Amino acid sequence: ITLILTTITMALPRTSINAIKIKLDNAVSAKDPRAIAAAVNLPAFPKIVGAARNSGVAGSQHREHLKVDGVDWSNVLNPLLDAHLAIQSNDLAQIYEAQSSLHSSLNHVLGSSKGNWLIPALHVVCRNTHRAAALADEHVNRSTGNRNDHKRLQNAVTLLQASYSKTLNDRVELRPNEPFSEEGSKKAGVLYIVNQLFSMYFRLNTLRLCKNLQKPVESRGIHESGTMGEMVTYRYYVGRLNMFEDQYDMAEQNFDYALRHCHHSAVANKKRILNYLVPVKLLRGRLPTSKLLEKYSLHEFVPLSNGMRTGNLMEFSEGLMKNQDLFIRRGTYLLLEKCKMICYRNLFKRVYKIVGKEQIKLDHIAKSFKWLGMPIDLDEVECILANLIYKQYIRGYLSHAKRILVLSKKEPFPTSKVIKQ
């Protein structure tokens, strides 16, 4: 028996085609920014279940014609119809193919249009392109067992970069809070697209490309002229970049801004910000309250915070080890490792208070480690103390011959060196 596989040519029902076509036609004819955005938006994407599948539906099924005010919108309408059909067929790969064609066509229409009335539609299309690419890649990766196939997301980056260029290079001056119109600047769309690209670069681990966006945006002050949501998202991503570059003071400022200005009901977004703000605060000597950690279910930081507060190195180390995979995925593990020095400092401060004098035998400190269930020898104690003295977390000096730590009589454990202002 010979089995012949053929590609099925399908299309949406005529009633659905007419409804989508009329909605887009009316929105574009009225030059209504929000209505156009709603017209090019897509229904909810299908969930990823099982292995990747192909619906057998070929691309570019629809051959409709739409011309509005002398501009051909057929190349926007047809992939939009294809995307609706692919969603009904639960074909994630075909959804992305149709969405990418839609995005490319809208970029072309945007480039030849005056004003910024198409910016809301561009934002919707950028978001959907990003989502469709990420879902399609994940779907393929699940079936092949390959985690590193980001072919569609990498292709989507080029589409968003084209959108970024068309908006950034608009010659019309940007006026903050100006309504979308035929006279407005396309630069009003830059910050949202930059945030989408930041998210994609982080997912692809190509953080070096973020600087190519950050410099022109900040040199033109665009990062301060978006909606509050866009500015909060921008500060969040820039804070993460600062963190990876060891610029912890800048990271703290950006995360603080993002948290303060995040919408009060956006609890999930606040938690996302705190996932990075808390480690930066810990390193800079500011410990979160138990009420904050409980409110946002940040239970992974409880043993770290308690360990640092009391100098309980065992609790800190166990908490770090227990959530190691989570912290590595977030990229905060090495930062939290550095917090161990503050934990050491607070442990030694407790020993100092118990001993009650400025000269402390290293043997006493070694016994505190043994009591915690983490025995170390005197050479290791000396090495840790030398680092703490170098960082100015402790004021004093070591007598190697006598195996004694000699502390300063005036503020031997300076708070100002731990808690950065």
Side-chain angles (χ1 to χ4, degrees):
I1 300 171
T2 304
L3 181 65
I4 301 174
L5 296 177
T6 58
T7 301
I8 303 169
T9 302
M10 294 178 63
L12 290 169
R14 175 46 59 181
T15 53
S16 298
I17 291 173
N18 289 340
I20 294 169
K21 186 175 181 178
I22 291 168
K23 186 177 182 181
L24 181 60
D25 188 358
N26 291 343
V28 174
S29 297
K31 287 187 167 58
D32 184 334
R34 301 299 175 190
I36 301 169
V40 298
N41 200 4
L42 296 175
F45 290 179
K47 294 181 180 180
I48 300 175
V49 180
R53 64 183 289 271
N54 190 317
S55 62
V57 178
S60 304
Q61 297 302 302
H62 299 88
R63 295 290 185 273
E64 300 296 316
H65 298 282
L66 179 62
K67 210 166 193 176
V68 183
D69 297 334
V71 179
D72 188 5
W73 280 79
S74 303
N75 290 334
V76 174
L77 174 62
N78 287 317
L80 176 62
L81 296 171
D82 293 343
H84 277 267
L85 178 61
I87 288 173
Q88 289 184 10
S89 305
N90 293 330
D91 189 338
L92 285 165
Q94 194 57 45
I95 292 170
Y96 175 70
E97 292 304 317
Q99 177 63 27
S100 62
S101 296
L102 167 60
H103 195 151
S104 180
S105 298
L106 189 64
N107 277 342
H108 179 74
V109 174
L110 178 76
S112 59
S113 67
K114 291 183 179 180
N116 61 6
W117 55 285
L118 286 175
I119 291 301
L122 182 66
H123 286 174
V124 166
V125 168
C126 285
R127 184 188 69 229
N128 285 342
T129 299
H130 180 185
R131 288 176 58 232
L135 285 170
D137 280 341
E138 186 179 349
H139 201 38
V140 171
N141 289 342
R142 281 196 184 186
S143 69
T144 61
N146 179 12
R147 290 185 177 183
N148 300 317
D149 183 0
H150 301 298
K151 180 181 176 182
R152 292 162 190 81
L153 194 61
Q154 288 165 345
N155 177 260
V157 164
T158 62
L159 291 168
L160 270 81
Q161 285 172 338
S163 300
Y164 166 74
S165 297
K166 289 181 184 296
T167 52
L168 182 71
N169 296 326
D170 188 25
R171 294 181 179 180
V172 179
E173 183 183 353
L174 175 63
R175 294 184 179 88
N177 303 317
E178 186 181 41
F180 297 112
S181 67
E182 291 184 79
E183 291 78 37
S185 173
K186 293 183 178 73
K187 289 189 181 77
V190 170
L191 198 57
Y192 183 92
I193 299 169
V194 165
N195 289 336
Q196 290 289 327
L197 283 168
F198 274 161
S199 177
M200 296 163 92
Y201 290 156
F202 271 90
R203 192 187 288 259
L204 292 169
N205 198 26
T206 53
L207 302 188
R208 66 187 185 282
L209 298 177
C210 293
K211 289 294 181 185
N212 298 339
L213 304 175
Q214 189 180 354
K215 288 178 182 178
V217 164
E218 294 189 0
S219 65
R220 303 180 194 196
I222 296 173
H223 66 303
E224 296 176 341
S225 59
T227 65
M228 184 53 71
E230 290 168 356
M231 291 190 289
V232 165
T233 305
Y234 181 82
R235 291 295 193 98
Y236 164 74
Y237 280 116
V238 172
R240 288 183 63 182
L241 285 172
N242 296 147
M243 194 182 73
F244 288 121
E245 294 168 352
D246 294 339
Q247 297 175 344
Y248 299 119
D249 53 341
M250 293 298 296
E252 186 175 13
Q253 288 176 31
N254 283 308
F255 287 136
D256 271 335
Y257 178 95
L259 187 64
R260 282 198 314 273
H261 293 88
C262 188
H263 196 276
H264 64 87
S265 63
V267 177
N269 287 341
K270 286 186 176 183
K271 182 176 179 179
R272 198 170 285 119
I273 295 165
L274 285 166
N275 285 336
Y276 297 94
L277 178 57
V278 170
V280 172
K281 291 275 191 186
L282 288 175
L283 184 64
R284 293 172 65 77
R286 294 184 176 90
L287 305 182
T289 63
S290 55
K291 185 178 178 180
L292 176 80
L293 299 180
E294 184 65 32
K295 180 179 179 180
Y296 293 101
S297 301
L298 298 168
H299 306 299
E300 64 271 23
F301 294 114
V302 172
L304 306 184
S305 179
N306 290 343
M308 289 177 66
R309 183 175 284 109
T310 61
N312 189 335
L313 195 61
M314 175 63 80
E315 185 176 7
F316 179 91
S317 298
E318 286 180 349
L320 192 61
M321 184 61 66
K322 180 182 178 181
N323 298 291
Q324 179 177 346
D325 292 342
L326 175 63
F327 295 140
I328 289 173
R329 282 198 304 274
R330 290 178 185 168
T332 56
Y333 181 79
L334 293 178
L335 188 156
L336 290 167
E337 264 279 348
K338 295 177 182 179
C339 296
K340 191 177 285 186
M341 294 305 291
I342 299 175
C343 199
Y344 284 135
R345 178 254 190 201
N346 290 343
L347 172 62
F348 298 158
K349 186 176 181 180
R350 292 187 70 186
V351 173
Y352 161 69
K353 287 185 174 181
I354 293 169
V355 173
K357 54 184 180 181
E358 283 72 35
Q359 293 189 9
I360 305 172
K361 292 181 180 180
L362 299 190
D363 188 52
H364 292 329
I365 296 173
K367 284 178 180 177
S368 69
F369 279 90
K370 187 177 180 181
W371 181 79
L372 287 169
M374 304 175 69
I376 61 173
D377 59 34
L378 295 183
D379 289 336
E380 288 180 86
V381 172
E382 235 180 280
C383 183
I384 294 168
L385 284 167
N387 277 297
L388 289 170
I389 292 169
Y390 173 76
K391 288 177 177 288
Q392 299 181 343
Y393 286 0
I394 293 178
R395 284 180 182 161
Y397 65 90
L398 284 165
S399 172
H400 177 70
K402 296 182 179 179
R403 297 282 189 168
I404 287 177
L405 168 66
V406 181
L407 294 170
S408 169
K409 291 184 178 181
K410 183 182 179 183
E411 202 178 6
F413 295 89
T415 305
S416 62
K417 295 299 179 181
V418 178
I419 302 177
K420 305 294 192 300
Q421 301 301 321

